[in-house]
Amino acid sequence: MSGQAIKHMVIFNLKHEVGTREAKLFLQESQAILAAIPQVQQFEVFRQVSGKNDYDFGFSMVFADSADYSAYNIHPVHVDYVKNRWEKEVTRFLEIDLQLESEL
């Protein structure tokens, strides 16, 4: 990865049923925790509406470059979040990391 911005997305399912208080709380608290990490830009939370896959939710965020993305991955708040929230409440997920294709 180069000095280009990276759009990091993850789609996922929770152990909580969609629409429950627990699911809403997970989404709200995740946004508050992850968006507060300095390298994170444009944090968004999504609800899946397509019938083309069976994931329920999505997070999207932007990093200025690969250095910021790497710093995010090892940031103590992120590491703690993954260990104490994500691994306990997410049942399955798919990560997608994209950079703008500049040679189209």
Side-chain angles (χ1 to χ4, degrees):
M1 292 190 211
S2 69
Q4 291 182 315
I6 297 169
K7 180 166 230 155
H8 172 68
M9 296 171 286
V10 60
I11 53 177
F12 59 94
N13 291 337
L14 294 172
K15 71 176 192 174
H16 315 295
E17 292 292 321
V18 173
T20 62
R21 181 183 178 285
E22 292 83 4
K24 290 177 185 177
L25 193 60
F26 176 86
L27 298 173
Q28 291 169 348
E29 291 177 354
S30 294
Q31 182 171 18
I33 292 166
L34 297 174
I37 297 172
Q39 294 82 6
V40 174
Q41 301 173 23
Q42 302 173 28
F43 189 93
E44 297 176 299
V45 178
F46 298 95
R47 170 83 200 295
Q48 171 63 263
V49 296
S50 171
K52 295 180 181 179
N53 72 62
D54 60 354
Y55 289 98
D56 295 320
F57 303 104
F59 291 159
S60 174
M61 62 195 84
V62 174
F63 298 96
D65 54 30
S66 59
D68 275 4
Y69 182 55
S70 295
Y72 162 80
N73 277 312
I74 61 170
H75 192 284
V77 171
H78 178 253
V79 171
D80 182 70
Y81 169 82
V82 169
K83 180 180 177 185
N84 292 303
R85 292 300 300 267
W86 187 264
E87 291 178 356
K88 294 178 180 178
E89 298 183 64
V90 172
T91 58
R92 61 190 283 263
F93 67 95
L94 173 66
E95 287 189 30
I96 304 164
D97 297 308
L98 301 171
Q99 286 184 319
L100 183 62
E101 182 57 55
S102 59
E103 296 186 23
L104 292 179

